[in-house]
Amino acid sequence: MAFAPGAMAAPDAASKLVSCGKASCLLVSGRREHPESQVSINGHAVSVKGAQVWRVSLPVETVREWSPPSARTIQVSVLNPDTGNETVSRAGLPIGLLGHVTDFAALVIGTR
């Protein structure tokens, strides 16, 4: 079966939590057809490392600023400079990454 150029869906981007110094960062990775393609995360252009296989590390605070509260995914867009076509995928976020933090005054664990 043959597909027209640009008809195949772009591989989904992926994300994982990594350490970056004293803070935590979200490592986002994906694939693109052309090394010159611009990558954007939640509508913000980012500078990535790599050619067809790329990656970018973003501080969690930046991801929090660029995302709605309690988001479970980020939108990853790749703009092909030759055709002007944009492919969009969603990368899942680690569970609870952008959720609300609950402070406990005390935590009681009992046994029966």
Side-chain angles (χ1 to χ4, degrees), residues 82-97:
D82 294 336
T83 64
N85 291 337
E86 183 176 50
T87 55
V88 179
S89 64
R90 295 241 171 231
L93 294 174
I95 294 173
L97 180 72

Side-chain angles (χ1 to χ4, degrees), residues 15-58:
S15 71
K16 69 178 182 177
L17 199 57
V18 296
S19 176
C20 55
K22 294 182 180 183
S24 293
C25 288
L26 188 69
L27 179 65
V28 183
S29 60
R31 301 181 66 84
R32 58 187 174 177
E33 189 174 328
H34 299 285
E36 303 83 26
S37 295
Q38 176 61 56
V39 177
S40 298
I41 300 195
N42 285 353
H44 297 269
V46 293
S47 179
V48 299
K49 294 180 182 177
Q52 278 85 10
V53 176
W54 59 265
R55 68 186 184 285
V56 61
S57 183
L58 299 170

